[in-house]
Amino acid sequence: MQTLSLTGANGLSEILIETGLLGHAGAEISKVFSPSRVHIVTDSTVASLYLDALARQFTLPVSTSVIPAGEEHKRLSTVEGIYHDMLAAGFTRKDLVIALGGGVVGDITGFAAATLLRGVSLCQIPTTLLAQVDSSVGGKTGVDLAEGKNLVGAFYQPRLVLIDPAVLSTLPDATFADGMAEVVKYGYIANPAILDMVSQPDYKAEIEKIIYECVKIKRDVVAIDEHDTGLRMILNFGHTVGHAVEKLGNYTELTHGQAVAIGMVAALRLGAMRGDPDLSPALISLLQQLGLPTALTYDREAIYGALLSDKKKFGGTVNFILVREPGRAEITPIEAETLHEYILKL
C-alpha cells in the first residue's frame, strides 16, 4: 500500500492507494474514525456495483443516499436531498459520511459534509480514474449553477481517501479515457515522465504508479496553496476553456475530461499566439491515442461569454494557465479584451 498525507485547514488528510483496497475499506476506515453510524452517498451506477459490498463491512448502522448519475444532477437540490436523508437516519456531528463514486458524487458529498451541522467527518472512495487522480484529493467541493460550473462550494478536506485501482476495470472505455485527460494535465504542468508512461501501448499495466504520481503532484500543490489563490491555479490547465464548453453543452454534450482535453489544446494554441512554442500537435496526437476529443466546435463568441462567468476571472483579467514546455506551467493573467481576440482566433 502506498500512502500520502496532506495537512489542511480542517486537519490531516490521509490518502491510501492499493489495488484491492475496497475489499477491506471498512477496516481502514475503522483505524481513523469511531462513528456511531455511517452514511454512504453514491450514484445509481456505482450503487449496483459496490454499495452492498462496502456497507456489509460495517457492524454499525449504515444509511445511504443514491443520487442520479450525471453532471446535470450536480445541483443544490441534490445536496438538499442528501441532507434530508442523513438527518432522517439520525446523523450527528460525530458520525461519518462516505462519498463512493466519481467526481460528481465526491464534489456533492464533500459539499454536504462541509455544510451539514457546520461540518461532519468525510471519507472519499473514488471509483473513476478522474476522481482518483484529481477530484477526490485536495478538498474542493461544490455544485453547479445555471451560470457556471462549481460556483457554489467550499474547501473541505476529507479525513481519509481510499483509492483502489481495481475498480477501474469496471469502467466503460469512454469513462476511463475521461480520467486520462486529467492524467495528461499532470504530465504537462509538472511531470513529463507521466506523458512518457501513458504514451506506451500497455500503460494501463502501470496505472497504480500513474495514479500515485498524479496524486503526489496534487498533494504537493495543495499543501502549498490549499485555497487556490496562487500555485494551485496551475491545476486548472485546460479548465478555463474546458469549463466554458461544458457549460455551453449544458453539462451533457461533453464529459468533464473531454472538455478538459479540448481546453488543453486551446490553451497551448493560445500560448502559441502569445509567442510560445506550439506544443499542440504532440498533445493532439496523445489525446487522440487515448480516445479523447481535441476540436473546439462551439461558437467562439459563446465560449468567450461563458468564460466571463468563470471563477478564474478577476476584475478585468482572466487567469490562464499556459505551458511553456511539458512540465512547466505558468499562471498568466490576460486582459479580458485581449483574451477575446485570442478566443476568436482559436
Side-chain angles (χ1 to χ4, degrees):
M1 184 185 297
Q2 300 185 86
T3 64
L4 294 163
S5 61
L6 170 64
T7 302
N10 59 296
L12 179 68
S13 181
E14 295 184 17
I15 306 157
L16 311 183
I17 305 171
E18 182 186 53
T19 299
L21 181 55
L22 185 60
H24 57 97
E28 299 301 330
I29 288 169
S30 68
K31 295 176 184 177
V32 176
F33 304 100
S34 299
S36 298
R37 66 167 47 251
V38 168
H39 189 85
I40 303 172
V41 180
T42 190
D43 67 27
S44 51
T45 300
V46 177
S48 62
L49 296 170
Y50 304 118
L51 179 56
D52 288 346
L54 177 61
R56 285 197 300 268
Q57 296 181 38
F58 298 99
T59 56
L60 45 87
V62 176
S63 52
T64 62
S65 294
V66 179
I67 65 177
E71 180 81 27
E72 64 271 28
H73 301 290
K74 192 176 168 183
R75 302 290 181 181
L76 284 168
S77 57
T78 305
V79 177
E80 184 177 1
I82 295 170
Y83 292 152
H84 291 315
D85 289 344
M86 293 170 74
L87 293 173
F91 200 90
T92 70
R93 290 193 69 187
K94 65 181 180 180
D95 296 326
L96 171 66
V97 60
I98 299 173
L100 175 68
V104 171
V105 168
D107 283 1
I108 289 175
T109 308
F111 184 61
T115 50
L116 182 68
L117 306 176
R118 297 191 177 92
V120 297
S121 295
L122 171 66
C123 172
Q124 292 272 7
I125 305 180
T127 59
T128 65
L129 179 59
L130 189 151
Q132 291 187 353
V133 300
D134 194 70
S135 60
S136 67
V137 176
K140 275 190 178 181
T141 74
V143 295
D144 304 336
L145 298 179
E147 290 82 356
K149 187 176 174 70
N150 294 328
L151 291 180
V152 175
F155 291 95
Y156 194 72
Q157 297 291 348
R159 179 66 182 82
L160 182 65
V161 182
L162 302 179
I163 297 175
D164 181 357
V167 304
L168 303 179
S169 64
T170 63
L171 294 181
D173 289 344
T175 306
F176 190 93
D178 200 43
M180 289 304 298
E182 294 285 358
V183 171
V184 170
K185 176 194 78 175
Y186 283 110
Y188 270 90
I189 66 171
N191 184 357
I194 292 173
L195 303 177
D196 294 335
M197 284 190 281
V198 301
S199 296
Q200 303 305 312
D202 60 346
Y203 74 90
K204 289 185 180 180
E206 300 293 327
I207 197 64
E208 185 169 332
K209 180 179 179 181
I210 291 169
I211 291 169
Y212 175 83
E213 293 299 329
C214 293
V215 172
K216 184 175 182 294
I217 293 168
K218 185 158 192 183
R219 187 279 309 269
D220 292 346
V221 170
V222 174
I224 295 170
D225 175 26
E226 182 178 6
H227 293 134
D228 206 13
T229 58
L231 178 65
R232 187 168 180 170
M233 292 182 193
I234 68 167
L235 299 174
N236 290 325
F237 174 55
H239 289 61
T240 311
V241 170
H243 283 175
V245 297
E246 274 191 279
K247 179 182 177 182
L248 293 175
N250 296 312
Y251 303 106
T252 58
E253 294 179 9
L254 291 169
T255 64
H256 178 67
Q258 290 171 336
V260 168
I262 292 168
M264 288 190 291
V265 173
L268 292 187
R269 286 179 170 162
L270 192 150
M273 292 178 199
R274 293 172 58 86
D276 292 337
D278 188 359
L279 304 176
S280 63
L283 173 60
I284 290 170
S285 177
L286 178 57
L287 292 175
Q288 290 177 343
Q289 177 182 325
L290 295 170
L292 289 161
T294 59
L296 195 58
T297 58
Y298 292 93
D299 178 78
R300 299 330 191 237
E301 284 286 1
I303 291 171
Y304 177 70
L307 278 174
L308 297 184
S309 67
D310 196 276
K311 302 183 300 302
K312 291 173 278 296
K313 182 174 182 289
F314 293 88
T317 65
V318 176
N319 282 323
F320 226 90
I321 310 306
L322 300 180
V323 172
R324 312 300 185 186
E325 61 183 358
R328 185 165 70 91
E330 295 181 7
I331 303 162
T332 306
I334 301 177
E335 293 291 331
E337 285 307 311
T338 303
L339 182 59
H340 187 201
E341 296 173 10
Y342 290 142
I343 294 297
L344 293 180
K345 296 176 183 177
L346 284 175

